[in-house]
Amino acid sequence: MRNRFFLLLGTLFLLLNGNSVTAQNSLPSRWDELTASDWPRAIEQSARTCILPIGILEKHGPHVPIGSDLIKVREWAARATKKEYAVVFPDYFYGQINEARHQPGTFALPERVVWDMIEASCDEIARNGFNKIVIINGHGGNPDFLRYFIQTRLEKRRNYAVFFFQPSSDSTFSARMAQLHQSDPKNDAHAGERETSELLYLRPDLVKMDSAANESGANQKRLSIPDMYTAIWWYANYPNHYAGEGAKATRQLGELVTEHTITSLARALKAVKADTQTLKLQEEYFDRVKK
């Protein structure tokens, strides 16, 4: 009788624990898929951490979709949060893309609007209960803008911190990359072999490989002023808004790059969720700033 009691008790524990895990796993990570009643649990489970996935709408050569950058960050966030839960803000494509305004499909907002949008978005994310905002970016023209934006969060006291995910490479990843990569790495940038490979892995149905060689992605080298940076540099080198050889892309390379990014993001999310120093140091800094 006693053994039967403990057997029943153990079974009940497993059932309850299993239901708890199932309930936890069923909590959506996307902000727009959560219900209002989900919100307190999402805040708790995410440790008040929200991902802001930023892409852009721009031409990607003649063969990969205009929303490639959005597709990448969307998938990174969706897959990483299955490993390490965080809430994911809906697709965001209001970044810096002036260099592609001459190409179809480019969505380029005025500079002041772009700045105000990201500032207001972060403030509103924080108002909803998050004090750690992790920006993941899929567009090569955004990093300088994003770094400066984050630095200006010290301009006045705020009750949240912004982090910028920047995955690094280890020797194993680099060696495997060297094995799979077929084109010149120095010129493999926008819609080239690496990025096309990522889309072949994530959304092969949207990639038109038979069009990849219809335009040149070679560096035209039409401007050379030593030790100087100027806005027109990208257009001077890549007027087709295409840099590299997309025709050499493979799904295997795309899988390598994508899974490395997702693993790195999940690891970074775990660290950010556990972090107790950033906000403390930020408060200490503001306390020391002279009014």
Side-chain angles (χ1 to χ4, degrees):
M1 190 72 172
R2 185 177 179 180
N3 289 340
R4 183 180 298 175
F5 170 77
F6 283 113
L7 180 61
L8 289 172
L9 188 64
T11 303
L12 180 62
F13 173 80
L14 289 173
L15 287 171
L16 290 174
N17 189 56
N19 288 341
S20 175
V21 171
T22 301
Q24 186 179 41
N25 290 341
S26 67
L27 185 65
S29 61
R30 284 186 61 99
W31 180 305
D32 51 315
E33 293 180 1
L34 289 162
T35 64
S37 57
D38 287 332
W39 207 256
R41 193 154 55 97
I43 290 288
E44 180 182 5
Q45 193 170 318
S46 69
R48 297 187 179 275
T49 303
C50 182
I51 297 173
L52 178 56
I54 301 181
I56 211 76
L57 295 175
E58 59 171 338
K59 175 186 175 183
H60 278 75
H63 59 295
V64 286
I66 286 168
S68 291
D69 298 339
L70 281 174
I71 292 168
K72 288 189 297 182
V73 294
R74 181 191 303 144
E75 290 297 325
W76 296 346
R79 300 180 190 204
T81 51
K82 288 180 180 178
K83 300 181 179 184
E84 189 64 46
Y85 186 83
V87 172
V88 182
F89 194 77
D91 296 356
Y92 188 102
F93 51 89
Y94 317 110
Q96 191 294 120
I97 188 55
N98 285 302
E99 65 271 22
R101 291 176 65 205
H102 63 296
Q103 296 289 357
T106 300
F107 188 82
L109 293 170
E111 58 181 300
R112 188 68 255 175
V113 174
V114 171
W115 187 274
D116 288 346
M117 279 288 294
I118 192 169
E119 184 166 60
S121 294
C122 285
D123 287 347
E124 191 67 0
I125 288 170
R127 189 187 66 77
N128 275 277
F130 299 97
N131 59 16
K132 298 173 183 178
I133 300 172
V134 177
I135 291 177
I136 60 173
N137 172 59
H139 171 51
N142 273 341
D144 289 342
F145 154 64
L146 291 173
R147 291 188 191 99
Y148 180 60
F149 169 75
I150 291 172
Q151 198 64 41
T152 61
R153 300 309 84 197
L154 297 179
E155 189 175 51
K156 67 178 183 180
R157 189 183 294 271
R158 289 178 169 85
N159 62 352
Y160 64 89
V162 185
F163 302 81
F164 183 17
F165 171 62
Q166 298 175 286
S168 58
S169 301
D170 56 31
S171 58
T172 302
F173 172 75
S174 297
R176 185 62 179 147
M177 271 285 292
Q179 290 178 341
L180 293 175
H181 207 276
Q182 301 179 62
S183 62
D184 181 2
K186 294 179 181 178
N187 195 48
D188 184 19
H190 185 67
E193 180 186 353
R194 175 170 173 158
E195 188 166 30
T196 303
S197 295
E198 291 178 82
L199 270 297
L200 277 177
Y201 177 60
L202 293 171
R203 289 298 304 272
D205 56 308
L206 299 178
V207 180
K208 298 181 177 180
M209 288 298 290
D210 59 340
S211 299
N214 288 355
E215 294 178 1
S216 172
N219 188 337
Q220 304 299 304
K221 301 179 180 179
R222 298 189 297 168
L223 186 66
S224 179
I225 305 176
D227 305 323
M228 288 292 170
Y229 178 90
T230 186
I232 204 68
W233 78 273
W234 175 263
Y235 176 79
N237 291 339
Y238 304 103
N240 290 330
H241 207 58
Y242 179 20
E245 298 179 74
K248 293 184 177 180
T250 62
R251 188 184 185 281
Q252 290 88 344
L253 178 62
E255 181 176 7
L256 173 70
V257 173
T258 301
E259 293 302 327
H260 173 76
T261 302
I262 292 166
T263 299
S264 299
L265 178 56
R267 183 170 58 241
L269 286 172
K270 185 175 183 178
V272 168
K273 288 170 66 176
D275 172 50
T276 59
Q277 284 297 102
T278 300
L279 288 165
K280 286 181 181 178
L281 290 170
Q282 192 167 286
E283 280 299 300
E284 177 187 306
Y285 166 80
F286 286 128
D287 288 342
R288 296 184 64 182
V289 172
K290 294 181 180 179
K291 303 295 189 289

